Amino acid sequence: TLEYACKKYFVIRSANVIEKSSDFKNQNFFEYGDSRFVSNDLDHYLVYKSKFYVGANSGPDKFARFSNIPILYVNDFHLLWSPIWSKKCISIPVKLFDNQKSKHLSFSQMADKNYMPSKKTSLPVGLYSIDEDYKEQSIKIINNTDEEILRAFKEMELFCDDKLKLDDEDIDLQKKVWKIFKKPYNNINNFIISPFFLKKNSYLFN
């Protein structure tokens, strides 16, 4: 995705703390967090001036929300807490695999507020917030694939320019997933799950 993006945009990895450098080299890529320019004001300004933000549901995405900057959420853990009021967002959820039952958790299980509650926090599996919860319940986190991220990035480009066309199947899948997560009035003109992800992983509705 970075290789694709750098052919069209100047890409900034926006963070004031970076645990591990990406080691990605391109004249159109800047590792801001490893630079001498890091500041609270610039953290916000870089997001504010972006075409759209790509990242997790934490940290700089809050700047994007407050500034009405479109967001592509990668490895989105908590669809129950999705900020459906944000302007033009696409989410790619993580998948959860139950090692004891040897099967993926369905969207319905991830949305169930009583399913597999944490022994520490009582939060359901769809809202786990610490690694220990997943380990205790023998749940494996399956992060987004390279293909899923690239396809969602291209969807986001179209979405930002009002050129993303959802067919009848796409619209039906969007309605189904938000009904499961108890957000029946979600505006698919603003916040959607990656159409490619839903079609590819439609078994998660079972």
Side-chain angles (χ1 to χ4, degrees):
T1 302
L2 273 175
E3 290 173 355
Y4 169 82
C6 285
K7 292 176 182 178
K8 306 176 69 173
Y9 311 102
F10 189 83
V11 180
I12 297 173
R13 189 182 184 197
S14 177
N16 53 23
V17 176
I18 292 179
E19 294 180 2
K20 182 179 179 182
S21 175
S22 67
D23 295 325
F24 181 77
K25 304 297 181 184
N26 189 287
Q27 64 179 0
N28 288 327
F29 176 76
F30 183 58
E31 192 84 78
Y32 166 72
D34 279 347
S35 76
R36 60 185 174 85
F37 303 109
V38 174
S39 71
N40 290 336
D41 289 340
L42 197 52
D43 290 348
H44 178 258
Y45 185 74
L46 290 175
V47 177
Y48 173 72
K49 295 297 288 184
S50 299
K51 181 180 178 69
F52 59 89
Y53 169 83
V54 182
N57 194 348
S58 63
D61 77 295
K62 306 303 184 293
F63 294 148
R65 284 198 221 167
F66 297 149
S67 303
N68 279 330
I69 302 301
I71 302 172
L72 170 57
Y73 282 117
V74 176
N75 292 321
D76 197 357
F77 276 79
H78 302 139
L79 288 182
L80 281 167
W81 285 343
S82 291
I84 60 174
W85 45 267
S86 296
K87 178 183 178 181
K88 289 193 179 301
C89 289
I90 293 180
S91 166
I92 328 173
V94 297
K95 290 180 285 187
L96 302 178
F97 189 82
D98 188 333
N99 287 317
Q100 294 181 343
K101 297 181 179 179
S102 296
K103 61 184 300 185
H104 288 90
L105 268 65
S106 67
F107 280 137
S108 294
Q109 290 169 323
M110 293 169 68
D112 188 339
K113 295 182 179 180
N114 298 306
Y115 192 71
M116 286 189 177
S118 162
K119 295 177 182 177
K120 282 196 170 184
T121 66
S122 297
L123 290 171
V125 67
L127 294 176
Y128 284 174
S129 56
I130 55 177
D131 291 342
E132 188 177 336
D133 288 337
Y134 295 100
K135 291 177 182 178
E136 285 187 354
Q137 298 287 7
S138 195
I139 298 295
K140 179 182 178 181
I141 300 167
I142 302 176
N143 289 326
N144 303 147
T145 66
D146 292 348
E147 181 187 26
E148 288 169 348
I149 296 172
L150 177 57
R151 292 292 292 266
F153 188 94
K154 292 180 178 180
E155 291 169 344
M156 194 71 213
E157 289 183 291
L158 295 172
F159 202 28
C160 287
D161 296 332
D162 295 322
K163 295 180 180 178
L164 182 62
K165 305 298 183 184
L166 301 181
D167 60 28
D168 290 343
E169 181 183 2
D170 289 328
I171 293 172
D172 182 59
L173 291 175
Q174 296 294 328
K175 289 180 178 179
K176 284 177 65 176
V177 74
W178 292 122
K179 184 176 181 180
I180 290 171
F181 284 93
K182 302 296 189 293
K183 300 178 188 292
Y185 304 111
N186 184 53
N187 185 350
I188 62 174
N189 293 319
N190 287 336
F191 194 113
I192 62 173
I193 306 300
S194 163
F196 172 79
F197 178 89
L198 288 184
K199 283 182 176 176
K200 179 187 175 186
N201 301 287
S202 59
Y203 60 87
L204 295 175
F205 287 101
N206 297 330

